[in-house]
Amino acid sequence: MWRYFTFFALGVIAVIALVCYGILGSAVTSQAKRRVRSVGSDMLGTINNPDLTAADVEQKITDYALSDSVDVFIFDMDGNLEMPYIALAEEKIAPVYEAVNKNLGEWAEGKTAEYNSRSGNRTTFNFAACVTLDGTQYKLLVRYPISHIAELVKKMEIYLLIVGLGAFVIAFLISYTLANKLSGPLREISGTAQKLAAGNYDVQFNSAQYAEIARLSDTLNYMKDEIEKSEDFRKELLANVSHDLKTPLTMIKAYASMIKEISGNDPEKRDKHLDVIIDEADRLTGLVNDILSASKITAGLEQVNKKVFNLTELLYGVINKFSYLQETQGYSIMVDVEAELYTLADEEHVYQVIYNLISNAVNYTGEDKTIYVSLKYNAEEQRINFAVRDTGKGIDEDELAHIWDRYYRSKDSHLRPVKGTGLGLNIVKVILQKHGFNFGVRTKQGEGSTFYVDFPRA
Ligand code: ADP
């Protein structure tokens, strides 16, 4: 990065140098020429002005000599210096006049000429003209040395070189610091990413003061969290599966061996053993489903997709699932449900909640095998109250705190029509907490329990 910066600075300096070298010299020279021409025309104006005397012309020449270092000479036709009245050696004047004569040619009123001349290492730009002063013919010369311009340009070149080198060093230093500042956080991010790749999830991508890098860090942190979640999910699933699947599998294997070795020819015993195998297989299926959804929900892999749906219809759908229990085992579900109640929630999750709560009520209800389901809109609370009540023996005070925990199952192993895994209420809790809905249980020893959820109305 700093190399690019430095090359860029070098390029800019090179362009500036080229422009200076190329344009500066010719710009200054043409400026000098313009100056000579303007002095020339000013002199002509002064000479041709009938109101001004020779003394005025002389004064003007002196002014120019003093203020602009522009030389103005007026020669007579013999090559003698008429003005200014200064003593100049003959050998110095002669070649100057010679050049004027050569470039101007025969005297003619209004004739002018421009030329460069050299003497030694001095170059001058000249403007010559034929003039008449007080009725006498003269030759006017205006000249300005341009060789000092070349010297000036040379000096400027040296300055330019020094300034250019200085600018280059400064540009290098600035770009080096800047590049380090920019790439430092990037290097840090890539280091962190390497640690993450090596399986260390305790890392954090630090934000820099640059918005883009800060955004990149945020995205990477988000990615890390997601990876961590699925990693947690993977670990949990592995632990749950190995722990929970072992028991039913051992049972299935044991009963299969029993059929093979003992009960094979005894239809009654064999059927009993086969029933156990079928039961355990069902349990396995339920278990796998529960473990999957519990792990997914807890790991945050399952998104809450809220939408408006008919809660009444959904509730009837769940109740229908239990109709086989009503028909085959004499259970009755008493329903007190308001029609057309709509809520805003994740439909699938709510289905799971209601299913789990009703199946628990079925499992734990009393001798009368009756459960009560109600769904009503409470205008005061502006909530749809869902409740499912059983007539079981209720939940102990000390058990109450644990029923929502993962894998918690009461110790009493009474016969249950729906096989439990100890995950049901935990799934209910996680889902409802994610939605932010109010829920809970009211229970009384010997009278039964009521599980309730308050849904918002949509
Ligand atoms: P599972 O029912 O599969 O054991 P749950 O997570 O659904 O697992 O329930 C956890 C525990 O909470 C149960 O083992 C039981 O002790 C208690 N429980 C749940 N629902 C009821 C209920 N309606 N009546 C009495 N106890 C209940």
Side-chain angles (χ1 to χ4, degrees):
M1 203 185 264
W2 67 263
R3 264 185 233 129
Y4 284 124
F5 275 129
T6 309
F7 277 129
F8 177 70
L10 209 61
V12 171
I13 292 166
V15 168
I16 293 174
L18 273 178
V19 167
C20 287
Y21 281 129
I23 295 177
L24 204 64
S26 64
V28 177
T29 311
S30 65
Q31 167 73 20
K33 286 182 178 172
R34 268 201 302 280
R35 184 76 194 129
V36 169
R37 279 179 203 127
S38 99
V39 171
S41 72
D42 186 32
M43 284 311 301
L44 287 177
T46 311
I47 290 165
N48 294 333
N49 190 339
D51 298 338
L52 298 175
T53 62
D56 293 324
V57 175
E58 171 82 34
Q59 184 57 46
K60 196 127 224 171
I61 292 173
T62 316
D63 287 350
Y64 274 127
L66 288 176
S67 67
D68 275 304
S69 62
V70 178
D71 292 335
V72 182
F73 299 123
I74 294 179
F75 297 98
D76 64 14
M77 297 307 281
D78 297 327
N80 298 316
L81 191 58
E82 178 72 16
M83 284 183 198
Y85 301 112
I86 43 166
L88 273 178
E90 175 68 21
E91 67 269 20
K92 275 199 171 170
I93 283 298
V96 176
Y97 180 70
E98 212 171 282
V100 172
N101 231 3
K102 196 177 128 207
N103 284 284
L104 213 49
E106 240 352 72
W107 193 97
E109 184 63 48
K111 201 175 185 188
T112 60
E114 284 180 7
Y115 59 94
N116 284 338
S117 65
R118 279 185 76 87
S119 74
N121 54 7
R122 195 175 134 99
T123 308
T124 44
F125 177 66
N126 304 269
F127 171 84
C130 302
V131 293
T132 317
L133 193 61
D134 293 336
T136 319
Q137 296 177 345
Y138 289 103
K139 288 174 183 171
L140 167 77
L141 171 69
V142 179
R143 67 173 200 181
Y144 186 72
I146 49 175
S147 49
H148 77 279
I149 293 173
E151 274 164 33
L152 197 75
V153 170
K154 199 158 262 164
K155 255 187 207 158
M156 284 195 68
E157 281 171 9
I158 294 169
Y159 286 140
L160 208 71
L161 198 73
I162 294 169
V163 171
L165 274 174
F168 175 73
V169 171
I170 292 170
F172 173 80
L173 288 178
I174 291 177
S175 57
Y176 191 77
T177 334
L178 214 66
N180 258 344
K181 253 191 149 173
L182 275 176
S183 61
L186 285 175
R187 268 203 298 270
E188 197 186 317
I189 285 178
S190 86
T192 313
Q194 266 165 8
K195 276 188 212 151
L196 181 67
N200 178 3
Y201 292 100
D202 279 340
V203 293
Q204 186 72 23
F205 290 94
N206 292 324
S207 289
Q209 63 256 59
Y210 308 102
E212 288 79 6
I213 295 178
R215 220 171 299 140
L216 176 68
S217 291
D218 290 348
T219 315
L220 288 171
N221 277 328
Y222 174 69
M223 180 197 80
K224 186 208 78 176
D225 291 346
E226 290 301 303
I227 295 177
E228 204 174 353
K229 270 187 208 161
S230 49
E231 180 64 14
D232 286 349
F233 171 63
R234 192 185 64 82
K235 281 186 194 152
E236 256 218 35
L237 192 67
L238 205 69
N240 292 348
V241 166
S242 49
H243 172 265
D244 286 286
L245 298 192
K246 253 187 207 155
T247 331
L249 280 175
T250 318
M251 296 274 274
I252 289 173
K253 194 180 167 195
Y255 278 87
S257 311
M258 277 210 289
I259 293 169
K260 189 177 173 193
E261 284 158 22
I262 306 164
S263 61
N265 296 323
D266 179 343
E268 207 180 306
K269 262 192 180 169
R270 191 184 57 207
D271 279 355
K272 241 173 125 183
H273 291 164
L274 280 173
D275 278 346
V276 174
I277 291 179
I278 291 167
D279 273 4
E280 288 302 319
D282 285 347
R283 197 165 120 70
L284 264 181
T285 312
L287 195 61
V288 168
N289 288 340
D290 275 2
I291 288 172
L292 262 175
S293 54
S295 305
K296 263 195 203 161
I297 291 167
T298 326
L301 282 181
E302 221 159 71
Q303 297 289 320
V304 175
N305 293 317
K306 283 192 182 184
K307 63 169 192 188
V308 174
F309 61 90
N310 190 331
L311 189 58
T312 314
E313 240 171 50
L314 180 131
L315 177 58
Y316 277 122
V318 178
I319 292 169
N320 275 342
K321 279 253 164 167
F322 291 92
S323 57
Y324 74 99
L325 286 178
Q326 306 186 45
E327 286 151 18
T328 59
Q329 299 188 35
Y331 280 87
S332 38
I333 299 180
M334 312 302 272
V335 178
D336 182 9
V337 172
E338 246 174 68
E340 298 292 311
L341 288 175
Y342 286 83
T343 189
L344 174 73
D346 185 308
E347 195 172 355
E348 254 180 63
H349 286 178
V350 170
Y351 188 97
Q352 217 165 350
V353 165
I354 293 181
Y355 182 90
N356 287 356
L357 292 180
I358 294 183
S359 81
N360 274 353
V362 168
N363 281 335
Y364 298 103
T365 198
E367 297 284 299
D368 62 355
K369 293 190 173 181
T370 308
I371 66 165
Y372 301 85
V373 175
S374 73
L375 187 73
K376 290 215 171 109
Y377 180 62
N378 181 329
E380 211 175 289
E381 291 173 12
Q382 296 199 320
R383 284 280 178 277
I384 302 170
N385 299 139
F386 164 78
V388 48
R389 180 166 71 85
D390 60 67
T391 59
K393 51 184 182 142
I395 305 165
D396 289 349
E397 192 84 26
D398 52 334
E399 260 191 297
L400 211 53
H402 302 292
I403 54 168
W404 306 97
D405 293 346
R406 221 151 213 230
Y407 299 117
Y408 177 80
R409 232 177 287 172
S410 66
K411 275 146 236 98
D412 93 88
S413 49
H414 82 249
L415 262 180
R416 291 183 285 186
V418 186
K419 300 288 178 201
T421 57
L423 281 169
L425 283 185
N426 183 255
I427 294 175
V428 169
K429 180 181 89 171
V430 174
I431 289 176
L432 292 176
Q433 278 177 344
K434 279 207 168 180
H435 279 77
F437 295 167
N438 183 39
F439 65 97
V441 59
R442 288 181 287 266
T443 183
K444 210 164 181 194
Q445 283 296 314
E447 285 180 26
S449 318
T450 306
F451 284 82
Y452 63 88
V453 182
D454 297 337
F455 293 97
R457 185 169 191 175

